[in-house]
Amino acid sequence: MLELSQVSKRYGDNHALKSVDLAVAVGETVVLIGPSGCGKSTLLRLIVGLLRPDSGTVTFEGQVLTAASLLKTRRRMGYVIQEGGLFPHLTVRGNVSVMARHLQRDAAWIETRLADLAGLVRLPATLMDRYPAELSGGQRQRVSLMRALMLDPDLLLLDEPLGALDPMIRYQLQQELKAIFDELGKTVVMVTHDIAEAAHFGQRLVLMREGQIVQSGSLKALAENPAEPFVEAFITAQLEPMSRLNAVLG
Amino acid sequence: MSRAGWKVILFMAVCGLVFERPAAAATHTAQLGGTRVVWNALLSGEIDAYPEYTGTLLQEILASEGLSTVDELSVALSSRGIGMTASLGFNNTYAIGMRSEQADRLGVKAISDLRGHPHLVFGFGNEFMDRADGWPGLQRHYRLPQTDVRGLDHDLAYRGLEAGTLDAIDLYSTDAEIAYYDLRALQDDLGFFPEYDAVVLYRLDLAERAPPVVASFHELAGRIDAATMSTLNARVKLAGESESAVAAGFLEQSPGLQIEPGTDTAGQRWWQRLWQRTAEHLALVAISLSAAILFAIPLGILAARRERVAHVVLAAAGILQTIPSLAMFVFLIPLLGIGGPPAVVALFLYSLLPIIRNTYAGLKDIPAPIIESAVALGLPPNARLRVVELPLAIRSILAGIKTSAVINVGTATLGALIGAGGYGQPILTGIRLDDMGLILQGAVPAALLALLVQGLFEAIERTLLPRGLRLQTNALGATD
């Protein structure tokens, strides 16, 4: 469904991605993880076409992405970013339906779809005419997810979708989001820096460092057979606070 | 009365002549700034006739021809298709004037006496400052040592002299103020100033189109002596009579002059005048501002899309903004003549920069995540602009339009310099006649109009600004 082949991207002298290969199968949930600046967000932005690779190709549903084909393929992808990226001058309804209205979809179809999606992400119908400034952070992310799902995309791309939320809301949304993914059965590529979140969502974790993929597999595989000391160090660094917490609580 | 003022009076007289024959279909444009402007207007056929001085023609306008006599001048003029009457009867030459009391105290009687007082402050009319027969020539001729020499409006110079901030100014020998302010015209002991005989210049083709009009110009020759001119000047300047009334009175009381004075705005009621000026002013502002909005917003959008275009467009609009308004008007006169069109074009050009810059800045200031979300949704560039970018930049764009509108209303008062009318008309006349009431008749409505225009755009902003933007500027802050 999605294949990156020898993809490189640099910003000036800084190699953001170095010859990355990655394949994502239909229905798979892949989580890109790694320290800040490892290139995981860049990878996602290359897939949605916000960036163009310096070399290598991105193939989506058997078609190599080009500047010309991007406009169409983007409509088969949903993209959610950390702080939602909602249009502040449009209501919830306006934000979610903006693309459908541009494509002149039937008004009745749009209303039905809006109601279905609001049910799916558990957004109260009373909020449909609110502006983003009138919503909480968690509600904004629900709206952003509705917008991404509006045209029923084949691929869902999420860049730290829960990164800006406080831990309680974040935990709750993690549970709900996972349920939604399971229900929709969509192909998902998600970026996070939190290994617990990655393990919660991902059948497959892709650990990155300095623009390259270090290791790919389940958390268990990564922990038991680290490809290099960095993998072990990265997992330990994130698990250590948990074990300290457990020790205190006895 | 300044030389320009005399021109106005005589122009009224000339208009009286012209209006006598409706077939001549003359319009008169009273407030034309600067000799060159009027001369060029005559050459291009914008106007058919105006009064001029032989000295100005010989020393300034045709200085490069090296003419010395009036006969040579006449020939040089006719080769340009311009006719000239004989002297109207007075020589209104330049003079240097001081307060009599100060001149006595310093013992200054003639211009050469000024050499002994290098610290005196001079204030000269802007034309006198630059003309070959003005200050530069005078300074060389008399080897004058003064360095504190300021250029200013001739009518303001009298007040500077009276207030003591200036010690000497340029005068015209028929000025009414000489007696009024108790001034001394210093003796031109080394014979620098040339003769300034008043004549009427007219286009030779006017003699074919309206022979009686040209005949009437020639009838004026020798009719106005220096004493008569001084008296007429004093009636306008000191007694506050209107120029047209004085000119009409003069024409009526001159036996043998079969000239009917033209109608003039002086005959209108104040509210009719105000209405006419408001209409003129609004037309200048409305046309130039609408054109600027239609032109500047697309340019601002283009600049926001293409960084290279942005450099060129913003720099060009910035340079336009630095051109002084009077210079801009003078640049435009050869292309567009005088009156409304060059004023509208100048105002249009001045209105561009704030709108372009605010459109550009408004689009550039949209947070990157919002733009990227629109791109990632698959909205094509034009839809993105219409649905997302312009609504988010609207506040900035409207602020730019508001700035342009207020500047435009103020700058439009200068349109009167080139005969475009509007609120600048009474302001200019008021400055010339030292009449604060007249100045306020233009300045107060102009200020009110500026406030009104600002209020109008604020109302438009309230209507156009999306409610989501009014709620909270930073809708991106994700807090629960």
Side-chain angles (χ1 to χ4, degrees):
Chain A
M1 119 90 60
L2 179 71
E3 192 173 351
L4 283 78
S5 169
Q6 291 295 301
V7 170
S8 295
K9 179 74 190 174
R10 57 198 295 174
Y11 304 115
D13 287 339
N14 179 23
H15 282 270
L17 287 177
K18 288 180 244 178
S19 304
V20 170
D21 289 306
L22 178 71
V24 179
V26 174
E28 193 183 11
T29 298
V30 171
V31 179
L32 305 176
I33 188 165
S36 321
C38 70
K40 54 192 192 295
S41 283
T42 302
L43 196 63
L44 209 61
R45 292 153 66 84
L46 279 166
I47 297 170
V48 77
L50 289 173
L51 298 173
R52 306 285 300 134
D54 295 332
S55 61
T57 54
V58 181
T59 310
F60 176 65
E61 296 182 331
Q63 217 180 5
V64 175
L65 295 191
T66 61
S69 67
L70 267 175
L71 212 56
K72 284 245 164 72
T73 52
R74 275 179 191 141
R75 293 171 194 168
R76 299 210 304 277
M77 302 177 186
Y79 180 63
V80 177
I81 58 174
Q82 184 166 345
E83 291 180 344
L86 294 180
F87 306 132
H89 63 297
L90 298 179
T91 59
V92 169
R93 177 178 274 106
N95 263 285
V96 176
S97 63
V98 66
M99 196 58 211
R101 277 183 289 125
H102 174 72
L103 297 174
Q104 303 185 328
R105 293 288 172 90
D106 181 59
W109 179 88
I110 291 177
E111 275 307 307
T112 314
R113 182 84 184 132
L114 274 168
D116 288 351
L117 287 172
L120 180 72
V121 306
R122 299 168 64 178
L123 188 81
T126 51
L127 300 184
M128 291 304 261
D129 292 314
R130 294 260 183 104
Y131 287 92
E134 299 169 307
L135 301 176
S136 72
Q139 288 167 338
R140 281 204 279 271
Q141 289 309 88
R142 289 173 202 266
V143 174
S144 186
L145 185 63
M146 283 172 72
R147 189 172 67 178
L149 291 171
M150 184 69 185
L151 296 179
D152 198 18
D154 303 323
L155 175 65
L156 200 50
L157 303 166
L158 303 103
D159 191 351
E160 302 264 11
L162 310 176
L165 304 178
D166 74 47
M168 298 272 290
I169 304 279
R170 183 172 179 148
Y171 177 74
Q172 189 195 339
L173 266 176
Q174 279 172 355
Q175 308 302 319
E176 290 183 20
L177 209 52
K178 178 80 163 84
I180 290 169
F181 292 169
D182 291 346
E183 185 182 337
L184 295 175
K186 290 208 183 297
T187 313
V188 176
V189 179
M190 179 176 181
V191 164
T192 182
H193 62 270
D194 176 2
I195 201 156
E197 192 167 282
H200 175 75
F201 283 106
Q203 300 147 335
R204 180 150 67 102
L205 275 55
V206 174
L207 180 60
M208 297 182 66
R209 183 181 58 157
E210 292 172 2
Q212 285 177 309
I213 293 176
V214 180
Q215 194 172 359
S216 168
S218 66
L219 175 63
K220 199 172 163 64
L222 263 59
E224 288 174 358
N225 292 305
E228 51 179 274
F230 168 75
V231 179
E232 201 177 352
F234 183 81
I235 295 173
T236 310
Q238 296 225 15
L239 292 183
E240 191 57 28
M242 296 295 168
S243 52
R244 263 187 246 151
L245 214 57
N246 283 331
V248 171
L249 297 173
Chain B
M1 165 64 51
S2 66
R3 183 162 292 173
W6 169 77
K7 281 182 183 171
V8 172
I9 288 188
L10 195 66
F11 212 89
M12 298 290 180
V14 169
C15 288
L17 288 167
V18 173
F19 278 127
E20 190 195 9
R21 324 262 170 209
T27 50
H28 102 242
T29 310
Q31 288 284 358
L32 289 176
T35 293
R36 281 277 170 191
V37 172
V38 190
W39 167 253
N40 287 331
L42 181 70
L43 282 186
S44 67
E46 285 284 336
I47 58 174
D48 286 320
Y50 82 98
E52 187 53 281
Y53 293 100
T54 54
T56 306
L57 290 164
L58 291 169
Q59 306 292 320
E60 179 69 19
I61 293 174
L62 300 174
S64 59
E65 315 253 320
L67 309 170
S68 52
T69 68
V70 172
D71 288 340
E72 285 172 11
L73 177 60
S74 193
V75 172
L77 287 172
S78 58
S79 75
R80 289 172 169 75
I82 306 295
M84 179 177 85
T85 66
S87 168
L88 301 184
F90 63 95
N91 170 21
N92 190 21
T93 192
Y94 277 120
I96 298 301
M98 295 178 69
R99 290 188 306 279
S100 299
E101 163 271 321
Q102 189 186 22
D104 286 342
R105 189 156 41 77
L106 299 177
V108 175
K109 288 192 171 65
I111 297 177
S112 52
D113 295 335
L114 292 172
R115 270 185 233 143
H117 304 279
H119 297 299
L120 293 180
V121 179
F122 292 172
F124 296 131
N126 291 314
E127 276 200 60
F128 188 82
M129 280 298 281
D130 297 329
R131 296 164 67 115
D133 59 345
W135 169 243
L138 183 74
Q139 186 182 29
R140 258 196 317 277
H141 196 79
Y142 279 94
R143 286 176 286 112
L144 294 177
Q146 284 78 8
T147 52
D148 194 350
V149 181
R150 302 164 192 182
L152 72 167
D153 183 88
H154 182 71
D155 293 287
L156 295 177
Y158 283 111
R159 259 159 288 158
L161 192 63
E162 188 187 20
T165 50
L166 298 174
D167 298 311
I169 65 171
D170 58 312
L171 306 172
Y172 303 112
S173 43
T174 60
D175 277 2
E177 287 90 342
I178 296 174
Y180 180 73
Y181 288 113
D182 190 17
L183 306 182
R184 172 169 308 158
L186 302 184
Q187 195 191 331
D188 185 12
D189 52 336
L190 297 183
F192 173 72
F193 291 117
E195 301 267 292
Y196 275 85
D197 284 316
V199 294
V200 176
L201 299 183
Y202 57 89
R203 293 178 60 83
L204 286 174
D205 57 13
L206 186 66
E208 291 155 30
R209 285 184 282 133
V213 175
V214 174
S216 313
F217 290 155
H218 286 287
E219 275 180 47
L220 277 175
R223 291 288 184 156
I224 313 170
D225 60 19
T228 308
M229 199 61 221
S230 256
T231 313
L232 294 178
N233 280 340
R235 280 173 56 194
V236 172
K237 188 90 181 205
L238 307 178
E241 293 182 48
S242 86
E243 290 160 337
S244 50
V246 170
F250 166 73
L251 292 175
E252 279 163 15
Q253 287 159 24
S254 302
L257 273 183
Q258 296 303 313
I259 297 169
E260 188 183 308
T263 52
D264 184 70
T265 50
Q268 295 177 339
R269 304 234 174 205
W270 69 269
W271 54 266
Q272 286 173 317
R273 274 203 305 277
L274 182 67
W275 169 246
Q276 188 194 335
R277 288 173 196 144
T278 305
E280 287 166 349
H281 208 90
L282 277 178
L284 290 176
V285 171
I287 298 172
S288 60
L289 189 65
S290 325
I293 293 170
L294 290 178
F295 200 72
I297 293 180
L299 265 183
I301 293 169
L302 194 66
R305 293 237 163 132
R306 304 241 184 286
E307 224 25 68
R308 260 183 231 156
V309 176
H311 287 305
V312 175
V313 165
L314 289 174
I319 289 168
L320 279 178
Q321 211 74 18
T322 65
I323 301 176
S325 357
L326 191 54
M328 178 83 93
F329 289 144
V330 173
F331 288 148
L332 292 172
I333 284 170
L335 303 172
L336 297 165
I338 52 173
V344 165
V345 171
L347 292 173
F348 162 77
L349 293 174
Y350 285 131
S351 301
L352 289 177
L353 181 65
I355 306 177
I356 295 175
R357 196 153 52 191
N358 276 41
T359 305
Y360 170 81
L363 291 172
K364 281 284 174 187
D365 283 349
I366 300 173
I370 297 209
I371 302 286
E372 292 190 344
S373 290
V375 174
L377 275 175
L379 278 176
N382 286 339
R384 214 155 66 218
L385 186 69
R386 184 168 42 82
V387 178
V388 177
E389 298 175 15
L390 285 180
L392 290 177
I394 196 80
R395 196 198 302 251
S396 176
I397 295 173
L398 281 172
I401 295 176
K402 209 156 46 177
T403 307
S404 277
V406 172
I407 293 175
N408 193 312
V409 169
T411 311
T413 55
L414 296 175
L417 285 170
I418 53 169
Y423 294 138
Q425 194 76 49
I427 296 178
L428 283 188
T429 313
I431 292 174
R432 207 156 38 70
L433 300 182
D434 188 12
D435 183 338
M436 190 54 78
L438 213 48
I439 294 175
L440 290 178
Q441 276 183 35
V444 171
L448 290 177
L449 185 62
L451 287 176
L452 200 71
V453 165
Q454 179 154 341
L456 177 76
F457 280 102
E458 268 159 21
I460 292 176
E461 182 175 328
R462 274 194 294 278
T463 321
L464 278 185
L465 193 65
R467 198 171 79 86
L469 291 185
R470 268 173 282 149
L471 287 169
Q472 194 179 322
T473 315
N474 181 16
L476 288 174
T479 47
D480 278 81

